[in-house]
Amino acid sequence: MADTLLLTVTDLRLGFLAGERLLYAVDGISFAIARGETFALLGESGCGKSATAQGILRLLPTAGRIAGGSVRFAGSELLALPEAEMRAYRGGRMAMIFQEPATSLNPVLTVGRQIGEVLERHRGLAGAAARQRMLELLRQVGIADPERRLDEYPFQLSGGMKQRVMIAIALAGEPQLLIADEPTTALDVTVQAQILDLLAGLQAARGMGMLLITHDLGVVARMAHRIGVMYAGELVEVASRADFFTTPRHPYTQALFAALPEVSRRGTTLTTIPGQVPALAAMPAGCRFAGRCPQVMPVCREQSPDWREAAPGHVVRCHWQGSAALADPVPAAAAEATTPAAPLLELADLKVHFPIRQGILQRVVGHVRAVDGVSLAIAPGRTLALVGESGCGKTTVGKALLQLIAPTAGSVTLAGRQLVGADRRALRAARQQAQMIFQDPFASLNPRLRIGEIIAEGIAALGVAGDPAALVAALLQQVGLPADAAQRFPHEFSGGQRQRIAIARALAVQPQLLVCDEPTSALDVSVQAQILNLLKTLQAELGVAYLFITHNFAVVEYLAHDIAVMYLGRIVEQGRAEEVLGKPRHPYTQALLSAVPVPRLDGAGQRIALAGEAPSPAKPPAGCHFHPRCPRASEICRQRYPDSVAVSATHTVACVLAA
C-alpha cells in the first residue's frame, strides 16, 4: 500500500497569528490519499477544511503559520522545499479548485490568458496549440460558445461559469493530485453531473488522487472512497464510503445527516445543531463538540477522546459508544400554505436582451437574449423555486424584477404597483417591499464596512422603525451569528458566515418578497437547515413570499410550493412542486431530476445524459431551444417553438410531447 500512496499528511498543525499568539485552525490531523483515490473532507464552515488544503499547498495568507507535522507528496516532503521548488508542484503535479471563483480569478485578465498561464508553465504549450487546448478544456467543463468566452473577463461570466473556468484552470496542468474545495457549489445539477463524470474519468485514466472538500453529501456518496469528518480543527471520524452512509458513529456526523432537507421532511422543522463551531481563541478543553452534543457526558468536558476503531477501517474520536441516531425532525408549528391568494408579484412576458457590440464604433451586431418572455406569479406566503442550468437567465430574472437591470420589455407588478418605467421614488418604496439575497456573498458585502454598518445601512436608508443597534443584534441572532460579529469586517468570516450576513441584511427592512439567489449554496448542511427553518418561520409568521433561485433540488423538495423550470431564457415547465417533481413532463425537467446526486449508497435512478452543451443565449437554436440536446426531439421541434400546454389546472409545459 505504501508505494501507492500519493499524499501523506501526518500530525499537521497550522494556525494564524493574532498579535503574539498563534491560534490553531488545524490541530494535529493525519490522513493519506492513494493514487486513484478520493478522500472527502466534511465539516461545517470554520472547521479548518480549507486551511488544511491551503497548508498542503503552502498557500496560507500572510498571518498563517505551519507549526508542525509532515506533508509528503510522492515521497517528497513539501514543508521542507524552498519556495522556488514548490512552485513547480503547484498547478502542475498538484492543483486546487478554490472555493470562491469570484475572488480567485484575476479580474483584469481574460479567461484565455489565465488558462494559458498554466499551459505555458506546466505543459509547455503556446500559440495555436495552447488556444486549441483551452477550447477543449472549456468544452470539457460545459461552457457554451468557448471561442467567445476565452476572450471575456471574469465579470462577464455567471457564478457557475466562473466555477467551471476555475475547474478548467486546475485541470490544465494535468495534475497527479487535485484538491477540490467545494468544486460543484455554484453548478447546476446537469453540469455538476458532467463535472463529476469528467473528474471520475480523469481519475481512472491518470490514477489521479483527489482531496474533495464539500458539504454536499450527495457528491460524497457519488465520488468518495473514504470520508473524514472534521470539527474545530480536528478529525473526529474516518470511514469508508459504505460505513459512513450505513453506520455513522460520531454524534456530529449523525447530526449532519439529520439536518438534510428532503421531501419526506417537508412538513417538519429540520434538525439543527445548537450553537456554533468554537472560535479559534476559545477552544474548549476536552472534546471540542461537547458544548453542542446531544450525547455529552461529564468526561467529554474534561478529557479529549482518543481514537477507537468502531469497525475495520472505521475510526471515531468519541467517548460515547452508542449508535442511535438523532431524533426525527419535529413537526412544524405552521401548516403548509393553502390555496394561493391574489399574487403579490406578477411578471408578464418579461424580456432582458443585452446588446453585443463590435468594432471601433461599437455597433450593435446582435443581442444576448438572457430573459426572453418570462411570465410568473407569486402569492403572499408562498415559495416559487426557479430552477435551471447556469446561464439560463435565472439571476437576470431576479435582478430585472427589482429593476437592478432594466427590462427590455414586459411588465413587473409588485403589490399592485407597476415597476417597469417607475421613477426613483416609486422604486425606493418598492425596495422596502422586495429585497435580494445575492449569489456571491463576498462580492455583495462592502469590505470597508463593519457587519453592523452593512446591516444597518438599509434600516437607515428606508426609515425602518426601531433602534438600529437592537435590530442588528436581533437579526444576527436570527441567522445564527454572535453579537460581536457586528464589530467585524466581511473578510474575517468564512463563506457560509458571509452568506448569513447577506440574509440578515436582506431581512433588515422587513420585506414582503425576498428574491433568494442561491442563498444556501455556500452553506454546509447544518447551517443550511438553520436558514431553511428561519425562512419557513418568517414565511409562516409574516407571510413573506420567496422567489427561490437554486440548483439544489433537496432544498426545492423541502421548501418550494411551486416550481418554474427555465431553459435558455424561457420557462419550459411550471406547476405545483408535487406535480413538477413527481410527474415531470418536459424532457429537460426529467434530465435535471435524473442528475441530482442522492446522499445514499443506492443513489438515484438512471441518469439521462444530455447531448452537447447548453447553447449560448446569443445564438439560440431555431425551433424549440432544447431540441439539439433532447433525446426525444422530432422534426417539428426543429421548426417552431412549442406553445405552453396545460396538463392540469396548475401545471403547464412548453413541449409538443405534452400536447
Side-chain angles (χ1 to χ4, degrees):
M1 176 70 177
D3 59 341
T4 67
L5 288 180
L6 185 64
L7 179 74
T8 305
V9 177
T10 307
D11 198 28
L12 179 64
R13 302 180 79 223
L14 59 88
F16 300 93
L17 287 174
E20 297 182 357
R21 186 181 175 190
L22 185 64
L23 304 178
Y24 289 100
V26 177
D27 198 4
I29 71 167
S30 301
F31 61 89
I33 303 175
R35 299 178 191 276
E37 180 186 44
T38 297
F39 182 79
L41 203 54
L42 290 175
E44 292 176 278
S45 286
C47 280
K49 306 185 302 297
S50 296
T52 299
Q54 292 168 354
I56 290 169
L57 286 173
R58 288 171 49 186
L59 286 175
L60 290 171
T62 306
R65 297 289 186 275
I66 295 176
S70 168
V71 178
R72 297 188 69 82
F73 176 78
S76 299
E77 177 55 65
L78 298 185
L79 301 186
L81 290 178
E83 176 60 24
E85 291 183 36
M86 190 66 203
R87 290 195 195 106
Y89 282 80
R90 294 192 205 107
R93 300 183 67 184
M94 307 165 68
M96 184 166 176
I97 301 168
F98 293 92
Q99 184 176 4
E100 291 185 347
T103 57
S104 302
L105 295 173
N106 191 323
V108 299
L109 297 182
T110 63
V111 167
R113 177 75 181 276
Q114 295 186 62
I115 302 174
E117 286 179 338
V118 180
L119 293 174
E120 183 176 354
R121 179 173 180 85
H122 297 289
R123 309 304 306 168
L125 293 178
R131 188 170 180 87
Q132 185 60 37
R133 179 60 181 148
M134 292 176 208
L135 293 173
E136 291 173 8
L137 285 164
L138 290 187
R139 290 191 187 99
Q140 277 187 323
V141 297
I143 290 184
D145 199 4
E147 292 83 359
R148 180 165 67 93
R149 298 300 187 187
L150 272 183
D151 298 318
E152 291 186 341
Y153 292 86
F155 76 89
Q156 295 174 281
L157 308 179
S158 69
M161 287 182 184
K162 285 196 276 275
Q163 185 74 300
R164 282 179 270 174
V165 168
M166 278 293 310
I167 294 169
I169 292 171
L171 296 177
E174 300 182 10
Q176 295 171 268
L177 175 70
L178 180 66
I179 300 174
D181 190 358
E182 303 285 4
T184 59
T185 291
L187 304 183
D188 54 81
V189 290
T190 53
V191 177
Q192 175 176 261
Q194 180 181 341
I195 293 299
L196 295 179
D197 287 346
L198 170 64
L199 294 178
L202 290 172
Q203 188 172 49
R206 301 180 188 170
M208 182 175 70
M210 195 183 314
L211 174 60
L212 177 64
I213 298 171
T214 183
H215 61 256
D216 190 331
L217 289 167
V219 172
V220 171
R222 181 169 175 177
M223 294 291 290
H225 299 100
R226 290 188 303 122
I227 296 99
V229 181
M230 197 167 181
Y231 184 79
E234 299 178 336
L235 281 173
V236 297
E237 185 167 6
V238 179
S240 67
R241 174 176 170 269
D243 286 345
F244 180 78
F245 282 96
T246 55
T247 55
R249 297 300 185 105
H250 198 283
Y252 179 57
T253 311
Q254 294 175 358
L256 294 179
F257 275 103
L260 287 173
E262 54 184 35
V263 69
S264 64
R265 294 172 175 167
R266 184 178 177 87
T268 68
T269 298
L270 293 175
T271 300
T272 58
I273 307 174
Q276 304 164 61
V277 178
L280 298 184
M283 285 295 174
C287 174
R288 296 182 176 182
F289 187 58
R292 309 173 71 192
C293 181
Q295 313 293 352
V296 65
M297 301 178 290
V299 67
C300 302
R301 302 186 188 280
E302 300 166 1
Q303 182 181 330
S304 181
D306 294 325
W307 286 103
R308 61 181 174 83
E309 190 172 55
H314 186 174
V315 292
V316 62
R317 192 173 186 176
C318 185
H319 292 297
W320 179 67
Q321 298 193 25
S323 58
L326 294 181
D328 290 333
V330 178
E336 286 288 327
T338 54
T339 305
L344 171 69
L345 173 75
E346 287 186 280
L347 309 184
D349 200 28
L350 183 69
K351 296 182 181 181
V352 182
H353 296 172
F354 298 107
I356 301 172
R357 301 179 185 275
Q358 288 183 356
I360 296 174
L361 299 179
Q362 289 290 285
R363 290 193 174 95
V364 176
V365 296
H367 287 85
V368 175
R369 299 174 180 269
V371 178
D372 200 22
V374 167
S375 298
L376 297 171
I378 309 175
R382 289 184 72 84
T383 299
L384 171 66
L386 187 60
V387 300
E389 291 177 285
S390 179
C392 73
K394 304 186 302 295
T395 297
T396 306
V397 168
K399 291 181 177 179
L401 75 87
L402 293 174
Q403 308 302 298
L404 300 177
I405 294 174
T408 305
S411 69
V412 177
T413 307
L414 177 65
R417 180 187 290 115
Q418 176 57 242
L419 300 188
V420 177
D423 59 26
R424 183 176 295 182
R425 179 176 295 179
L427 289 179
R428 185 184 182 89
R431 289 197 176 119
Q432 184 161 358
Q433 294 179 307
Q435 285 286 303
M436 187 165 186
I437 302 167
F438 294 92
Q439 184 176 4
D440 185 345
F442 190 78
S444 65
L445 298 176
N446 189 328
R448 298 177 183 275
L449 295 183
R450 298 179 191 274
I451 301 310
E453 295 170 322
I454 289 172
I455 297 173
E457 198 171 24
I459 295 172
L462 295 177
V464 177
D467 176 28
L471 290 173
V472 168
L475 285 161
L476 289 173
Q477 184 179 14
Q478 270 189 317
V479 299
L481 290 172
D484 64 5
Q487 303 305 316
R488 293 155 64 189
F489 291 92
H491 72 269
E492 299 179 69
F493 295 88
S494 67
Q497 290 169 326
R498 284 196 285 266
Q499 189 66 290
R500 283 184 269 177
I501 293 164
I503 292 170
R505 177 180 61 183
L507 294 173
V509 298
Q510 303 163 11
Q512 294 175 274
L513 171 72
L514 272 183
V515 179
C516 308
D517 189 3
E518 303 284 6
T520 62
S521 65
L523 306 182
D524 53 78
V525 291
S526 58
V527 179
Q528 175 180 267
Q530 184 180 355
I531 294 302
L532 292 179
N533 286 343
L534 170 63
L535 292 176
K536 253 195 166 173
T537 300
L538 289 168
Q539 191 167 66
E541 293 177 353
L542 306 175
V544 181
Y546 301 125
L547 175 62
F548 209 90
I549 299 167
T550 185
H551 61 257
N552 188 332
F553 275 84
V555 172
V556 171
E557 288 178 337
Y558 174 74
L559 195 66
H561 300 103
D562 307 289
I563 298 174
V565 183
M566 196 168 179
Y567 185 79
L568 212 62
R570 298 186 182 185
I571 302 297
V572 298
E573 183 166 5
Q574 61 179 311
R576 292 180 181 269
E578 57 271 20
E579 294 173 320
V580 176
L581 296 174
K583 294 182 179 179
R585 300 292 295 271
H586 198 284
Y588 177 59
T589 311
Q590 294 167 355
L592 280 181
L593 293 172
S594 76
V596 177
V598 179
R600 297 191 303 270
L601 286 178
D602 56 3
Q606 182 66 34
R607 185 164 74 84
I608 301 171
L610 296 179
E613 56 198 27
S616 168
K619 301 175 183 177
C624 173
H625 292 349
F626 186 59
H627 86 258
R629 307 173 71 196
C630 182
R632 302 166 65 189
S634 61
E635 186 57 35
I636 192 171
C637 303
R638 299 175 178 86
Q639 295 173 356
R640 66 176 181 84
Y641 196 89
D643 296 326
S644 187
V645 177
V647 296
S648 80
T650 54
H651 189 183
T652 58
V653 185
C655 180
V656 296
L657 297 172

